[in-house]
Amino acid sequence: MGKLALFGGTPVRREPLPYGRQAISDEDIALVVETLRSDWLTGGPRVDGFERAFAEFVGAEHAVAVSSGTAALHAAVFAAGIGPGDEALSTPLTFSATTNVLLHVGATPVFSDVEGERLGLDPSLLEARINERTKALMPVDYAGHPADLEALGALAQAHGLVVIEDASHSLGARVGGRQVGSIADLTTFSFHPVKHLACGEGGMITTADPELAERMRRFRNHGLSSAARTRAGWSYDLVELGLNYRLTDIAAALGTSQIARLEANVARRREIAAAYDDAFAAQPELVRLVEHPDRPSSWHLYPLRLQLPGGQDEWIAALRTEGIGANVHYRAVNELTLYRQRGYDPAETPVAQAASHQLVSLPMFHAMTDQDVADSVAAVRKLVEHYLG
Ligand SMILES: *Cc1c(COP(=O)(O)O)cnc(C)c1O
C-alpha cells in the first residue's frame, strides 16, 4: 500500500477531501436570489415558511428559527426557565456550545459520562447526579445517533426535569419510527454548512409546547412583546431580556429549498457509513460506533476510536497529508481550559476522557462520491499498516 505521505510516501489524493461540507443546488440558488429581490431580507415570509416546512418534516407542533445552533440552545435554556442556581446534566463529548449556554444564563453544567457504544449520555449514571437544583437533561445525539430518549424521558418525568435535546448532529434520525425533533420537550438544530441542512448560519428549536415556542420567539427578538407589536403600528413593549437571534429570510430561503433533498441526503450518509463499516469491520483496532437497531442514525459524523500507537496528533497529521480531512470531535468539554478554570475535571467522566483522545472523524457528507469514500478508506488502511505492519 506504500509509505505514509507524512513520512515521504505518495499521498492517496492531491485534492484535499474535507470532513464535511454543504451541497447547494441551482434550485437553492434560485430561491435565494428570488428572496434578495423581494421586500423581505429579514422578519418576512421566508422565515415563517421555513419554520412550517421544518416542523412538518420532523413532525413537531412548533418550530422557531434562530440565527445559529448556539442561539437555539440559548433560547431553549432560557425558555425552560433555567437560570442562576440551577444545574443541568449533559455530556462532555459535544461541541462546547451545548453547555456554554448554561454558563451564559448563570446555571451550572454537570457532566455525566457516556456509554461505550454510541458515546451518548449513559442513562444509568444520571440518577446519582440529580439533586434539588437539577432542572434539565441536555443529551446530545452524538454523530447522529439519537440519545436514549426513552430512558431519559422516564428519568425526567420521575424528577420533574425538562429534556433539551441537542440534535445538531441528528436531523433525519429516528427513535422507534419517530423523527428526532418530535420527541424531547425542546429539540435544537444547527444549520452550519457541515450539518445536514446548510443556511450558512442558522438554527431551529422544535417543541410541542406553545408557551415555550412563544417565549423563544420573544427571546430571539430582544424580548419584545409580540402582542404589543401587532396591536398598533408603532407601539411596542419589552417584557423580558432577549437578544437579536433572528434568522434572515435569505438564510431561511436556502434552508427551505434544501428540505426537499433532506431524506435523500440522509440516505446517502447512511450508505457511506455502511461502506465505512464494511471496510473497517475486520480491524479490531478501529473501534466503530454501533448503531442502535431502534434508533437509526443520520450520520453527521463518522468517528472511529483508534487503538493504535502514534497518538491523535500524528494520526490526524498523517491522514491530512494523505489528502483526507480528518478531525477530532470532540476534545471533552470538561478538559478545555475555560472549564478546568471553573473546577471541572475530565477524570470524572473516564469513558468520555479516553474516547476524546482516540477519536478521529473521517470525511462524512452527502455529496461525497464513492471514490472519496474509497480514498478515505485507503488512507486509514495505510495508517493501520504503518503502525501494525
Ligand atoms: C454545530 C453544533 C452546535 C452549534 O451550532 P452553531 O450553528 O455552529 O452555533 C452545537 N452543538 C453541537 C453538538 C454542534 O455540533
Side-chain angles (χ1 to χ4, degrees):
M1 201 156 265
K3 200 188 212 181
L4 281 174
L6 185 64
F7 302 116
T10 309
V12 168
R13 56 187 282 155
R14 299 269 166 211
E15 181 82 4
L17 182 65
Y19 88 86
R21 64 157 295 161
Q22 72 278 12
I24 302 295
S25 73
D26 290 344
E27 290 78 38
D28 297 347
I29 293 167
L31 199 63
V32 169
V33 170
E34 188 186 310
T35 306
L36 286 170
R37 294 203 169 102
S38 78
D39 290 338
W40 300 91
L41 295 188
T42 192
R46 286 286 170 215
V47 174
D48 298 340
F50 185 34
E51 289 178 341
R52 279 195 305 275
F54 193 89
E56 190 179 335
F57 181 87
V58 302
E61 296 291 321
H62 308 277
V64 178
V66 290
S67 53
S68 72
T70 305
L73 286 159
H74 196 177
V77 162
F78 176 84
I82 296 168
D86 296 336
E87 295 182 358
L89 293 175
S90 194
T91 163
L93 266 194
T94 184
F95 182 57
S96 47
T98 311
T99 51
N100 284 352
V101 299
L102 293 167
L103 302 178
H104 280 300
V105 299
T108 304
V110 175
F111 294 103
S112 190
D113 212 353
V114 297
E115 37 76 27
E117 294 213 305
R118 283 164 293 281
L119 303 181
L121 273 179
D122 183 341
S124 73
L125 301 177
L126 290 168
E127 190 127 40
R129 295 181 187 255
I130 294 173
N131 61 47
E132 68 284 353
R133 292 181 299 278
T134 312
K135 290 285 151 41
L137 303 178
M138 293 184 73
V140 174
D141 300 333
Y142 179 72
H145 298 264
D148 188 347
L149 295 177
E150 212 170 302
L152 296 177
L155 203 61
Q157 189 134 42
H159 294 274
L161 311 176
V162 57
V163 178
I164 302 172
E165 177 188 5
D166 184 344
S168 297
H169 295 186
S170 59
L171 177 54
R174 288 185 164 81
V175 176
R178 291 171 72 188
Q179 285 267 358
V180 161
S182 68
I183 304 163
D185 298 310
L186 291 149
T187 310
T188 72
F189 298 89
S190 161
F191 307 132
H192 181 276
V194 298
K195 307 287 167 66
H196 297 79
L197 189 147
C199 284
E201 300 284 358
M204 191 79 79
I205 315 98
T206 56
T207 182
D209 184 329
E211 275 171 41
L212 290 177
E214 185 51 32
R215 251 195 123 189
M216 294 187 290
R217 289 182 198 286
R218 277 201 301 270
F219 184 70
R220 76 171 171 194
N221 195 29
H222 306 282
L224 291 170
S225 152
S226 48
R229 190 156 42 85
T230 46
R231 209 181 308 125
W234 62 270
S235 130
Y236 67 88
D237 195 13
L238 185 72
V239 292
E240 43 198 347
L241 186 61
L243 285 148
N244 176 357
Y245 275 164
R246 296 184 303 257
L247 187 71
T248 66
D249 280 59
I250 306 162
L254 187 52
T256 304
S257 177
Q258 288 175 42
I259 290 180
R261 300 196 306 280
L262 211 40
E263 207 77 75
N265 289 346
V266 169
R268 176 59 184 153
R269 285 171 179 266
R270 292 184 54 77
E271 228 170 64
I272 295 165
Y276 277 147
D277 277 352
D278 276 354
F280 304 138
Q283 197 76 50
E285 294 83 3
L286 308 175
V287 181
R288 295 167 291 125
L289 296 182
V290 186
E291 191 171 44
H292 190 285
D294 201 34
R295 306 204 292 271
S297 174
S298 57
W299 294 103
H300 160 55
L301 301 170
Y302 189 88
L304 288 172
R305 270 166 290 170
L306 302 191
Q307 299 185 342
L308 299 170
Q312 209 172 31
D313 278 349
E314 192 170 286
W315 303 330
I316 300 286
L319 291 169
R320 287 186 178 179
T321 323
E322 299 296 339
I324 304 303
N327 232 314
V328 175
H329 300 96
Y330 294 93
R331 183 60 73 237
V333 176
N334 50 8
E335 192 176 328
L336 302 173
T337 299
L338 176 81
Y339 282 82
R340 280 189 184 275
Q341 283 169 347
R342 290 175 183 240
Y344 291 92
D345 180 357
E348 288 166 10
T349 52
V351 180
Q353 184 184 30
S356 169
H357 290 268
Q358 296 178 326
L359 283 166
V360 171
S361 299
L362 297 181
M364 169 57 85
F365 52 97
H366 34 267
M368 274 176 85
T369 64
D370 291 346
Q371 186 59 52
D372 292 337
V373 179
D375 288 348
S376 183
V377 168
V380 173
R381 292 222 165 106
K382 280 178 83 172
L383 200 69
V384 170
E385 192 172 295
H386 173 80
Y387 290 114
L388 301 181

